[in-house]
């Protein structure tokens, strides 16, 4: 599984978009980019995933660069409840293993 | 649906004691996982079970054993607890590895302290 690199921490103002970057320069062609988040020591929660194309769901948008070496998770209107640690993971769909790194601690401030 | 449940929620052990952490899911998922999370760290995979009857080692399997009792239940056993095993343990489940995508559902965690 490819290694991912994320900033340790970020701040965002409530109501603004939160853009969380992730580098995965060694990602292989059939590895997906997954994003999970963990709120205050609860179990992690799936957010979104993608392979090549940009993806959007009710929680977030995922922008993957054309060379697939990096991606950005966008929370369009961050709220205080989005304060959490966000994990970017490169993983195959087959096999099911997720390797969590340190993640980015996002603090949404009023 | 209760989703993924874990028991106990908290446990304190003395060095050398044994215990079993229980995990059950009611989503008819094929795959189940055990992770540990140390303070300030990300989750690390201990063992996983891709399907009923199979188990495989993850990143940090030493000191642990697992049993996939049936499709619903996946237990984690510490035979001789050590202080280094003080951690929060999360169980997770997901659809078959060949499923459409790898969304794992996590339990609330078991907070284990080994003195």
């Amino acid at each position: 599984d490819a290694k991912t690199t994320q900033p340790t921490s970020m701040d965002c103002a409530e109501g603004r978009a939160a853009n969380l970057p992730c580098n995965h320069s060694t990602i292989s062609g059939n590895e997906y980019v997954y994003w999970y988040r963990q709120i205050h020591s609860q179990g992690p929660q799936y957010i979104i995933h993608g392979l090549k194309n940009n993806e959007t769901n009710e929680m977030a948008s995922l922008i993957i660069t054309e060379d697939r070496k990096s991606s950005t998770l966008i929370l369009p209107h961050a709220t205080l409840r989005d304060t959490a640690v966000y994990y970017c993971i490169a993983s195959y769909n087959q096999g099911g293993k997720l390797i969590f790194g340190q993640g980015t601690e996002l603090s949404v401030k009023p | 649906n209760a989703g993924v449940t874990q028991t106990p929620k908290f446990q304190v052990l003395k060095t050398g004691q044994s215990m079993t952490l229980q995990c059950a899911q009611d989503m008819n998922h094929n795959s189940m996982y055990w992770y540990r999370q140390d303070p300030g760290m990300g989750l690390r995979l201990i063992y996983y079970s891709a399907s009923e009857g199979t188990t495989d080692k993850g990143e940090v399997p030493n000191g642990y054993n697992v049993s996939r009792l049936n499709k619903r239940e996946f237990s984690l056993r510490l035979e001789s607890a050590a202080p280094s095993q003080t951690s929060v343990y999360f169980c997770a489940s997901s659809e078959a590895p060949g499923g459409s995508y790898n969304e794992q559902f996590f339990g609330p965690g078991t907070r284990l302290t080994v003195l």
Side-chain angles (χ1 to χ4, degrees):
Chain A
D1 296 338
K3 178 178 169 58
T4 61
T5 305
Q6 301 176 250
T8 303
S9 63
M10 294 181 63
D11 290 341
C12 178
E14 189 178 18
R16 303 297 294 268
N19 296 290
L20 291 85
C22 179
N23 286 322
H24 32 78
S25 57
T26 60
I27 195 169
S28 67
N30 52 356
E31 278 185 297
Y32 286 70
V33 179
Y34 281 84
W35 284 84
Y36 281 73
R37 73 180 183 183
Q38 186 175 26
I39 296 173
H40 190 53
S41 300
Q42 297 176 17
Q45 175 191 23
Y46 165 85
I47 302 173
I48 198 168
H49 77 288
L51 183 63
K52 296 180 184 177
N53 300 323
N54 299 337
E55 302 287 345
T56 296
N57 63 20
E58 65 278 2
M59 289 182 68
S61 295
L62 174 60
I63 309 297
I64 303 174
T65 58
E66 193 168 345
D67 63 9
R68 300 206 334 117
K69 291 185 177 180
S70 65
S71 61
T72 301
L73 178 75
I74 301 172
L75 307 178
H77 304 287
T79 71
L80 299 179
R81 288 178 294 180
D82 292 322
T83 292
V85 178
Y86 287 77
Y87 296 99
C88 169
I89 302 166
S91 175
Y92 301 100
N93 271 0
Q94 303 282 337
K97 289 187 289 183
L98 298 175
I99 305 299
F100 288 80
Q102 300 272 56
T104 295
E105 186 168 5
L106 175 69
S107 295
V108 180
K109 299 181 184 298
Chain B
N1 282 352
V4 179
T5 56
Q6 293 184 235
T7 54
K9 287 187 168 55
F10 300 93
Q11 184 70 50
V12 178
L13 293 178
K14 294 181 179 177
T15 297
Q17 287 185 317
S18 62
M19 79 161 295
T20 300
L21 282 63
Q22 306 286 355
C23 174
Q25 52 90 10
D26 62 2
M27 296 174 282
N28 201 33
H29 285 168
N30 288 313
S31 301
M32 298 185 73
Y33 314 83
W34 275 107
Y35 296 87
R36 62 175 286 176
Q37 185 173 34
D38 299 330
M41 305 284 289
L43 282 73
R44 290 184 292 171
L45 182 64
I46 306 172
Y47 270 93
Y48 68 103
S49 171
S51 61
E52 187 178 355
T54 68
T55 61
D56 285 289
K57 295 178 180 179
E59 301 170 83
V60 288
N62 291 346
Y64 305 95
N65 287 303
V66 290
S67 296
R68 183 72 182 269
L69 305 169
N70 47 55
K71 192 171 185 180
R72 290 187 64 247
E73 298 172 291
F74 189 38
S75 63
L76 178 72
R77 183 161 179 82
L78 286 70
E79 290 291 351
S80 178
S84 60
Q85 294 178 305
T86 293
S87 191
V88 180
Y89 291 83
F90 288 102
C91 178
S93 70
S94 70
E95 277 292 354
S100 59
Y101 63 98
N102 188 9
E103 178 179 0
Q104 293 188 13
F105 294 81
F106 286 80
T110 293
R111 282 142 185 83
L112 175 67
T113 301
V114 183
L115 302 175

